[in-house]
Amino acid sequence: MTSPFLMIMRKELKDSLQSKWLITFGVTFFFLALGVPYIILGAGGLLPGDYPGMVVGTLVTLAVPLVPLVSLAMSSTSVAGEREVGTMEYLLAQPATKFEVFFGKYLGLVTALTLAMFLGYGGAELIVYSTNPEFIASFIYALAYSLLLAGASVGLGFIVSVSVKTRAAAIGTGLFLWFVLVVIYDSGFLGVITVALDADSLLIPLTLANPVETTRILALMHMAESPLRGELGPQAAFLLQNYGSIAASRILSAVLILWVVVPVVISYLIFRRQDATI
């Protein structure tokens, strides 16, 4: 007999795989990783010798912001949507604990996002990098950190989902959170704050406070030599100067793992105290 946890996880996985958000996400990742512009240049014999590195750099720059967008859009409505239509009451009426319901939904959604990224990244990797094995390690690092970012984003989305009452409010809050993490930070927020307060030491805590920026820096730090590797930014330069590449990588990796663990624990603790009808 299948356990309630596996049944809930399978249901969430099935629902997520049918989501238009996820389908669009997987297709977009495939074409970003494939590097369509470079294929067009290649057909005309105009590709530079370091084009695989350029593809990886472009992928990190463009794809990393997409990971929290899709993850937050899907996870922020996961619990709130079930409550709004009444299916959460049905799930909790089954012989399943709140732990099984919550983590069944969480792992189902993370598994769906993982499959989408593996198919998108992996399919393109076989095409682009089969003859360029020196860039495969960089590609794997980018995929691994993107998966951690997806887990962190789903946790943040679940905090939103268990804290609001309607699906519309959940997705609105989730998209606003993405706007803060990606658009505001990317528009020079760190530089403005640092210059205004005249304190370079703020670069590190402000960077670590954003899992998207942490992921971007980690992925670029592990790239093979590429024209875009120099776009690490002042916060990464400060980390490398003060801690060195190995220690900086370990610090950022540990912080990213905390971003995966802490939000999901917080959202579960909130969910555990709530009734199904809240």
Side-chain angles (χ1 to χ4, degrees), residues 185-254:
Y185 261 73
D186 195 46
S187 62
F189 171 78
L190 290 178
V192 171
I193 293 296
T194 303
V195 171
L197 298 179
D198 192 25
D200 288 341
S201 59
L202 287 176
L203 283 173
I204 294 179
L206 288 174
T207 299
L208 301 183
N210 186 346
V212 181
E213 188 66 13
T214 300
T215 302
R216 184 189 71 83
I217 294 172
L218 273 169
L220 289 176
M221 283 177 60
H222 288 91
M223 281 174 54
E225 291 301 321
S226 159
L228 297 180
R229 194 179 186 277
E231 297 183 1
L232 289 170
Q235 55 271 41
F238 187 85
L239 276 167
L240 291 172
Q241 181 180 352
N242 287 273
Y243 298 98
S245 59
I246 296 177
S249 177
R250 289 175 178 173
I251 291 171
L252 292 171
S253 298

Side-chain angles (χ1 to χ4, degrees), residues 66-258:
L66 290 178
V67 174
L69 174 62
V70 177
S71 302
L72 285 167
M74 295 180 65
S75 60
S76 62
T77 59
S78 181
V79 176
E82 297 268 19
R83 285 174 174 161
E84 191 172 46
V85 300
T87 51
M88 181 58 72
E89 295 182 17
Y90 170 77
L91 290 176
L92 292 174
Q94 302 300 309
T97 64
K98 284 191 172 184
F99 181 91
E100 291 174 319
V101 171
F102 181 88
F103 283 98
K105 293 179 70 62
Y106 176 84
L107 291 177
L109 182 51
V110 170
T111 301
L113 288 166
T114 300
L115 289 173
M117 280 191 276
F118 264 110
L119 292 176
Y121 273 121
E125 180 181 347
L126 290 175
I127 297 173
V128 178
Y129 296 95
S130 58
T131 58
N132 297 276
E134 67 272 19
F135 289 97
I136 292 180
S138 299
F139 210 88
I140 292 174
Y141 275 117
L143 174 59
Y145 292 133
S146 295
L147 291 175
L148 287 174
L149 177 59
S153 301
V154 171
L156 291 171
F158 267 61
I159 293 178
V160 173
S161 196
V162 299
S163 302
V164 301
K165 296 182 179 180
T166 66
R167 182 184 181 90
I171 195 168
T173 306
L175 292 178
F176 176 75
L177 182 56
W178 174 83
F179 182 83
V180 171
L181 292 174
V182 175
V183 179
I184 291 181
Y185 261 73
D186 195 46
S187 62
F189 171 78
L190 290 178
V192 171
I193 293 296
T194 303
V195 171
L197 298 179
D198 192 25
D200 288 341
S201 59
L202 287 176
L203 283 173
I204 294 179
L206 288 174
T207 299
L208 301 183
N210 186 346
V212 181
E213 188 66 13
T214 300
T215 302
R216 184 189 71 83
I217 294 172
L218 273 169
L220 289 176
M221 283 177 60
H222 288 91
M223 281 174 54
E225 291 301 321
S226 159
L228 297 180
R229 194 179 186 277
E231 297 183 1
L232 289 170
Q235 55 271 41
F238 187 85
L239 276 167
L240 291 172
Q241 181 180 352
N242 287 273
Y243 298 98
S245 59
I246 296 177
S249 177
R250 289 175 178 173
I251 291 171
L252 292 171
S253 298
V255 169
L256 189 55
I257 292 172
L258 284 176

Side-chain angles (χ1 to χ4, degrees), residues 43-54:
L46 302 174
L47 271 177
D50 57 357
Y51 86 94
M54 296 174 67

